[in-house]
Structure formats: structure tokens, C-alpha cells
Amino acid sequence: MILEPDILQSYRETFEAHLAENKIDEAVISAQNISAGRVAQVLTNRDYNVIIPFLEKADQKQAGQILAHFSPEMSVEVLEQMDPKIGSTLLDDIPIDHAADIMQLMDQDEASELFSMINPNLEAMIRDLMRYESGTVGAVMNSHFTAVKKGASIADTMLAIKDAPVQIENKNYVFVVNKKGTPEGVISMKDLIRTNPKKLVDEIMTQNVVAVYTDDDALESAQLLRNRRFQMLPVLNEEDRIAGVLLLDDAIEILSENMADMFMHIGAASADESFYTPPLGSVKKRLPWMAGNVFLNLGAVAVIASFEATIEAIAALAIFLPMITDMGGNVGIQALSVSIRSIALGEVRLSEYWRAAKKEIVVGLINGLALGALFAVIAYIVQANMILGLVAGAALGINVLVAGIVGGTLPFLIKRWGGDPAMMTGPVLTTITDITGVTIYLGLSTYFLMSLVGG
């Protein structure tokens, strides 16, 4: 049966209606027609007095998958309010790396209670992931994977895949390991199916396996996986044995979170802050950056103050100041966003800032001429002063050019110097565009002061 978008939408609407009427049993039934991700999306907007009963009555496997789609912080709150016996069963159906994230955030007593109720092997795997430092690939790897010994037959390998635990999320690839557990090759399911069952895996495996280590940076490992277009990467421990795998889904999540964190930094927000951060905690994270921004903006204030006589002579100049500074900021943020995205996804090398500069010069010249001309016409119409229109248009055009170059190249330079490009570039960029815009505009106005006064 083909499920068309309108049919899927009707299923979701039915599910939401049952939840709104607090008909939990009916909601559980209707949720069977919806993906776990979509159910989680709907439940996220509901109170816990609806979420908890729903998960407790839902099929265990589906409930676990839904819980895995919640944020770790929300999952912690759900498990702490849920019957511990039911909550412990859900951990069986959560990806092992997600379970480790959840248990790491949970109150120690609550976590100990849940650990006491789950399978000892599962507890050992979760605790094993929890020992890795946050930000390393070991902390996000999945401990479930398929591997066979070198010298195994194709038939034995197919049997191993058939009997593999359900927790293995990707069975499309099998690693071939030596006696020490070190990977020496990898085989795809496609190749296994096409090969004579009597042959050995050694004959068809792809050698030179690309791997990472548990202590390697998770973001760099995710970028490697994406750039190589693999579905998974083996993660090795200090003994060169496979400890787990980095899956494509997890790599995408890491890259997405990194991009989200970087764009939060642009606004001088902290990546450590979330919806669940207490109000005083949010104040501590935000206030220092805002206070620092006050001192950065004093540069623009000082520039305006130095042109006080010009502004007093021609009060109309103040009308266009916000437009010129705001336009520079907007253009700079556009260029900044493109550069930070490229850096976050590992699409470019840090040494390519000259290439970024050349591109932004071309873009800035074209956009600056177009926007400057447009603004010159608008300024002339508003004030009926040709010189003022030309000055305002020229100032805006030059500021657009400068903002594009700064926004496009500064992230590369800051990253190369070892800093956080998003955290440092946002406040710096806005200050630079404000100062350059004001300086160019009021500087040109001062130069042409007599012509402006004369109209």
C-alpha cells in the first residue's frame, strides 16, 4: 500500500485529536500508523501527564524508538517520572549511544535504580560509553556491529548476519577481523549475496579499512564519514580492536548539532544552554557576552561622536545611519553563515580564505553597486538632495563590500588561529560593519559638507 502525504497527515491529525481528548488507548492504536520520529515530535508539545501514560501503554519497541527521538534532557525527565520497571525496559530499544547520553545526565540515584533493573551486558556497554570524554567519537559510537573472523566462509557470514542481535542498526556491511580483533577488510551485503557461499571472505573483502579511534574528535570523525560517503566507520580502541562503529545517522546528528551550536554562537549565545537550563544559568551564560558587546559598540559611538559637528550642521544625515549600518550587518551575516556552514561540514580547507576573499570581493562589488545605486535614488527622493543621495549610496555600497569580505573570511582566520569562529565572529562582525559604515558615511558627508549645505 502506498501512503500518500494527505493520508499520513490524516493519521497524524487523528493521533493528535486522541491526545487532545486524553484518549490514551486510542492514541496508542493510531500511533502505529505514524513513524516514531513524528510521534515524538507531537508528544514533545504535550504535558508529561500525557506523555508518560502514552509511553507506558505503547508497544515497548515503539516506545523506546520514540524516547530515542526526544532530546537527552527531555528523555531524562520522562524516565525520572515513569515507572522504573517500564523505563528500564525502554533502554533495550534505544540506540546504545543515546542511552549513554541519557544516563550521564540522570540523577545518580535514579540512574543506579535503572541500571539495577536492566540486563548486565547492556549496563556494561552503556557504562563503557559513559567513560569516554564528551566530544570524542567513543562517546557517540554504537557498540553493536557485525564482524567475522578472517577465513570464514560466505555461508557462515550470512548465517552470522541472520543471527545477529536486533540492536545492530546497519547490517549492510560486515567487518573482517584477525585474531586480535583488528579489522583487515569490509564486505557489503550486496557482494555477499552475489558470491558463491563456499568462498572465503578473504577473497572478496575490501582491504585498507578507514577507521578512527575512540579518543578521536567526534566532529572530525563525522566529517570524515560524510566526505568519504561511507555508511559507517569502525572505531578502534587503544589495542586496535573494533570497539564500535560511527553510523551515518549519528554523524549527521553531530554535524547538525555543530552547525546549530555555531549559529547560536553568532548571536553570542552558549551552545551549553538549552530549554532546560535554569533561568539563572541562562543569565550567567548570556550576560557576560552582552556586557562585552556594549564595550565593542563603544567604537561606533566614538566614531559618531567625532562627527558631531557634521551631524549638527546637517541633521538629515542621521536619517540614513541605521539603514547603512543595518545593511552592512545583514550582508556580513549572509557571508558569515556560508563560511561557517562550509567549515562545519568540512567542505573547505582553512587555507582557502583567499579564495573566500576573492569570491566575496566579486559578490560585494556587484551587490554594493546595485544596493548603493538603489539607496542613492531613495535618499535623493526622500531629501531632494543629489549630493546627499550620492554620499549615502556610496557609503552603503562600500559598507556592503567590506561586510561581505569580513564575514566571508574572518571565520577562516579565527579558526586557523585556534579560536571559535562563530563565537568570536558575530560580535566582531557587527562592530566592524557599524564602525566602517558610520566612518565612510560621515567622512564623505564631512568632505562634501559645503555641497550638502548648499543642497
Side-chain angles (χ1 to χ4, degrees):
M1 179 176 65
I2 298 176
L3 295 178
E4 298 179 1
D6 55 339
I7 297 176
L8 293 173
Q9 181 62 26
S10 68
Y11 286 151
R12 173 171 176 162
E13 291 173 355
T14 301
F15 173 60
E16 290 178 331
H18 289 322
L19 288 178
E21 297 170 7
N22 207 26
K23 296 179 179 178
I24 304 301
D25 292 329
E26 289 85 346
V28 168
I29 296 173
S30 60
Q32 296 174 0
N33 298 315
I34 312 172
S35 68
R38 187 62 61 87
V39 173
Q41 188 180 44
V42 173
L43 288 176
T44 299
N45 298 316
R46 298 290 172 179
D47 294 332
Y48 286 110
N49 59 5
V50 173
I51 297 173
I52 305 298
F54 175 86
L55 292 177
E56 290 180 342
K57 292 187 177 183
D59 173 74
Q60 176 185 321
K61 184 176 181 64
Q62 186 188 32
Q65 292 173 345
I66 294 169
L67 190 67
H69 280 87
F70 292 154
S71 69
E73 292 83 0
M74 182 174 178
S75 296
V76 167
E77 293 203 7
V78 169
L79 288 173
E80 287 180 345
Q81 296 183 43
M82 183 180 285
D83 182 341
K85 292 183 179 179
I86 298 177
S88 63
T89 63
L90 299 186
L91 291 177
D92 283 326
D93 295 293
I94 298 176
I96 200 76
D97 54 319
H98 288 250
D101 290 339
I102 293 169
M103 300 302 282
Q104 212 150 21
L105 292 172
M106 189 172 285
D107 176 78
Q108 191 170 358
D109 292 335
E110 298 276 357
S112 298
E113 184 178 10
L114 284 179
F115 273 137
S116 68
M117 298 180 182
I118 65 176
N119 185 295
N121 291 331
L122 177 61
E123 178 186 358
M125 287 189 289
I126 293 176
R127 288 191 182 276
D128 185 56
L129 288 182
M130 290 173 65
R131 70 186 176 89
Y132 292 109
E133 186 178 346
S134 177
T136 64
V137 69
V140 296
M141 69 182 181
N142 192 305
S143 301
H144 298 289
F145 57 92
T146 308
V148 296
K149 292 286 181 64
K150 195 175 180 181
S153 68
I154 301 299
D156 290 341
T157 303
M158 293 296 289
L159 185 61
I161 294 173
K162 180 181 177 182
D163 295 336
V166 295
Q167 288 91 345
I168 296 178
E169 294 186 46
N170 191 327
K171 298 181 181 180
N172 293 324
Y173 290 89
V174 179
F175 296 105
V176 180
V177 299
N178 59 24
K179 293 180 180 180
K180 295 181 179 180
T182 303
E184 294 197 3
V186 62
I187 308 173
S188 69
M189 177 63 75
K190 180 177 65 176
D191 290 337
L192 286 171
I193 294 173
R194 293 176 175 177
T195 305
N196 187 328
K198 295 181 180 180
K199 282 191 173 184
L200 302 181
V201 292
D202 312 40
E203 301 176 57
I204 66 168
M205 70 180 185
T206 300
Q207 299 181 13
N208 301 322
V209 180
V210 177
V212 294
Y213 284 86
T214 53
D215 292 331
D216 286 350
D217 184 77
L219 176 59
E220 292 179 0
S221 300
Q223 290 173 340
L224 174 64
L225 178 61
R226 175 189 175 276
N227 293 339
R228 291 270 186 161
R229 299 189 181 278
F230 293 152
Q231 291 192 25
M232 67 172 89
L233 276 179
V235 183
L236 310 184
N237 59 20
E238 58 275 5
E239 299 172 350
D240 288 340
R241 299 179 58 185
I242 301 183
V245 291
L246 175 63
L247 299 171
L248 180 60
D249 287 350
D250 293 324
I252 292 173
E253 186 174 336
I254 292 168
L255 292 171
S256 300
E257 289 176 355
N258 179 60
M259 288 187 64
D261 290 347
M262 295 188 87
F263 282 109
M264 282 183 68
H265 286 332
I266 293 175
S270 171
D272 297 328
E273 183 185 350
S274 72
F275 173 80
Y276 298 93
T277 303
L280 288 179
S282 295
V283 170
K284 289 179 181 178
K285 293 178 186 298
R286 298 184 194 182
L287 185 58
W289 278 102
M290 292 299 100
N293 215 30
V294 169
F295 290 99
L296 279 175
N297 285 320
L298 286 177
V301 173
V303 172
I304 294 175
S306 67
F307 289 100
E308 185 177 356
T310 302
I311 296 175
E312 285 182 357
I314 311 169
L317 291 174
I319 298 174
F320 301 115
L321 263 178
M323 174 71 105
I324 292 170
T325 56
D326 184 61
M327 205 65 189
N330 291 338
V331 170
I333 290 296
Q334 282 183 333
L336 174 67
S337 301
V338 173
S339 293
I340 286 183
R341 177 187 180 277
S342 298
I343 293 173
L345 294 177
E347 293 178 339
V348 295
R349 297 186 299 274
L350 297 182
S351 59
E352 294 187 301
Y353 60 89
W354 280 117
R355 184 177 175 184
K358 291 176 183 177
K359 173 190 172 183
E360 293 303 334
I361 288 173
V362 174
V363 174
L365 285 171
I366 297 173
N367 285 342
L369 286 171
L371 294 172
L374 176 63
F375 192 51
V377 173
I378 293 173
Y380 172 69
I381 293 174
V382 171
Q383 290 296 317
N385 188 318
M386 178 64 74
I387 302 300
L388 178 58
L390 292 174
V391 167
L396 185 138
I398 296 172
N399 202 30
V400 164
L401 172 61
V402 172
I405 296 173
V406 173
T409 59
L410 200 54
F412 289 90
L413 297 174
I414 292 175
K415 183 71 174 178
R416 200 174 186 186
W417 294 333
D420 184 338
M423 180 67 80
M424 299 175 69
T425 308
V428 172
L429 173 67
T430 54
T431 302
I432 289 175
T433 54
D434 285 350
I435 291 175
T436 55
V438 170
T439 302
I440 295 166
Y441 179 48
L442 295 181
L444 288 173
S445 298
T446 302
Y447 185 79
F448 291 105
L449 181 62
M450 295 308 296
S451 297
L452 288 169
V453 172

